[in-house]
Amino acid sequence: MSTPLAGWTDELARARLHFVTGKGGTGKTTSAAALGIALASHGRRVLLVEVEGRQGFAQLFDTEPLPYAEQRIASVPGGGELRALHIDVEAALLEYFEMFYNLGFAGRTLRRMGAIEFATTLAPGLRDVLLTGKIKECVGRTGPDGRHVYDAVVVDAPPTGRVVKFLDVTKALTDLAKTGPIRGQADGVVRLLHSEETVVHLVTLLEEMPVRETVEAVAELDGADLRPGAVLVNRVRPPRLPARSVTPAADGRVDASRVRTGLASAGLDLPEVTLDALVAETVEHAIRLAAEQRAREQLAEADLPTLELPEEPGGIDLAALYDLAESLTEQGVR
């Protein structure tokens, strides 16, 4: 059994476009935001991008709903800057018409006629092309000095079940559109998403279903020639038992008399019912630790760098978000 790599590798440090995916409920939006903050340390400028219309970043950073514009959302210790963009499909299509076809006025007319909804319904892949096309523009944009405007772009991507279709749809569109701006745009997106500049990170919990979906998603990304990045294990709780005690305790072998003696030596004399509850809680904790160890062993099959985000017992607020980012920085994110 291979052991998962720890920390942030040099290969990941060279990437500029970071997609963050995960099974629903694993905390991928929170993880993406924490990754953005960590990458923005040491004076960097980072853009967070949202593509699913949920305004998750606005909620995390306690701001008004994000417009279709790159907006400063936080400053980062060390002089870094974090901006965020909520990509609206309709606005992206109008921008596309204006950029490639000089159809700004006509695009607005099409919107009134409902043609935009019709177009994205008729060609469902067009929606993802518009989203990834806008992301590509943000990644490649340069300033007057010729340097990239953003040192890194972090995308809160669709869940693992849809992420490969989202990232690979431009290949299918390239086959359909043989010439013209659509073909050129699709080719450019394909080159970026399949280049060394792009990685796809996977967020999971130490639970059977999220881990299984993570391992399957890694295989699917590999099959589509997309680069898996790191596995971000979210909501990790510290063990309360020494490793040697986990297996016997998980089997229910907890010596209540030894527990009572230990408590007594600490000056605690607990009633029998409380002692029984403590023993039951110890068994339950050991069962969870054993299950988490099995999950770690299964994750090792992915053979990817693995970083851990601690559980925040008080929930996720802005302070907790910065704590998570600091944890990533300590594990080498740069």
Side-chain angles (χ1 to χ4, degrees), residues 15 50 57 66 83 106 122 147 180 188 210 234 247 252 270-271 284 291 300 309:
E50 188 172 53
F57 289 139
L66 296 170
R83 294 188 178 187
L122 187 65
R147 297 180 58 185
N234 196 21
T247 298
L270 301 180
E284 183 180 336
L309 291 165

Side-chain angles (χ1 to χ4, degrees), residues 45 141-151:
R45 178 182 287 176
R141 192 187 312 151
T142 56
D145 58 359
R147 297 180 58 185
H148 286 113
V149 172
Y150 294 108
D151 297 293

Side-chain angles (χ1 to χ4, degrees), residues 14-317:
R14 288 192 294 269
R16 294 187 53 249
L17 176 54
H18 302 261
F19 288 95
V20 180
T21 184
K23 180 177 171 59
T26 57
K28 69 181 180 68
T29 302
T30 299
S31 301
L35 178 61
I37 295 171
L39 289 170
S41 61
H42 309 299
R44 298 187 185 95
R45 178 182 287 176
V46 173
L47 178 67
L48 295 175
V49 178
E50 188 172 53
V51 297
E52 294 189 282
R54 294 184 294 105
Q55 291 287 352
F57 289 139
Q59 295 174 39
L60 280 174
F61 288 92
D62 195 23
T63 68
E64 295 294 319
L66 296 170
Y68 181 55
E70 292 150 45
Q71 181 171 294
R72 181 176 175 139
I73 200 168
S75 57
V76 178
E81 181 183 16
L82 197 63
R83 294 188 178 187
L85 169 66
H86 172 84
I87 302 182
D88 176 79
V89 176
E90 183 176 276
L93 182 55
L94 293 178
E95 184 179 63
Y96 188 92
F97 281 150
E98 190 163 1
M99 185 181 303
F100 292 107
Y101 294 102
N102 263 343
L103 291 177
F105 176 76
R108 289 188 289 275
T109 303
L110 287 172
R111 178 173 57 184
R112 288 196 297 271
M113 293 170 58
I116 292 174
E117 182 180 355
F118 174 76
T120 53
T121 302
L122 187 65
L126 179 59
R127 178 184 183 278
D128 291 343
V129 171
L130 292 168
L131 296 171
T132 52
K134 179 60 179 178
I135 292 167
K136 169 186 170 291
E137 188 273 324
C138 294
V139 172
R141 192 187 312 151
T142 56
D145 58 359
R147 297 180 58 185
H148 286 113
V149 172
Y150 294 108
D151 297 293
V153 174
V154 178
V155 183
D156 182 12
T160 44
R162 294 195 293 111
V163 72
V164 170
K165 184 178 179 182
F166 171 74
L167 294 174
D168 215 31
V169 69
T170 45
K171 274 194 171 180
L173 187 62
T174 298
D175 293 337
L176 292 173
K178 304 300 181 184
T179 60
I182 293 179
R183 172 61 183 262
Q185 173 78 340
D187 283 346
V189 172
V190 169
R191 282 194 299 271
L192 173 63
L193 298 187
H194 293 267
S195 74
E196 292 186 355
E197 285 197 278
T198 301
V199 289
V200 184
H201 306 295
L202 300 106
V203 181
T204 188
L205 305 177
L206 289 175
E207 298 172 4
E208 182 181 358
M209 287 299 292
V211 166
R212 183 187 306 166
E213 194 162 314
T214 296
V215 173
E216 291 172 353
V218 170
E220 196 176 356
L221 288 165
D222 283 335
D225 194 28
L226 294 160
R227 288 205 312 155
V231 174
L232 305 178
V233 183
N234 196 21
R235 301 177 199 155
V236 175
R237 293 169 285 188
R240 305 296 184 189
L241 288 172
R244 67 179 183 276
S245 302
V246 172
T247 298
D251 290 337
R253 288 179 280 134
V254 177
D255 189 338
S257 62
R258 287 186 62 187
V259 175
R260 179 180 292 282
T261 301
L263 291 170
S265 65
L268 296 172
D269 184 17
L270 301 180
E272 198 69 28
V273 64
T274 304
L275 181 63
D276 290 343
L278 285 174
V279 169
E281 189 173 336
T282 300
V283 172
E284 183 180 336
H285 179 68
I287 291 172
R288 179 177 64 78
L289 290 178
E292 288 180 352
Q293 181 55 39
R294 290 193 295 272
R296 291 181 190 279
E297 291 170 358
Q298 190 176 357
L299 276 178
E301 297 174 15
D303 196 27
L304 293 176
T306 301
L307 294 86
E308 296 190 349
L309 291 165
E311 182 179 46
E312 294 288 340
I316 300 298
D317 56 14

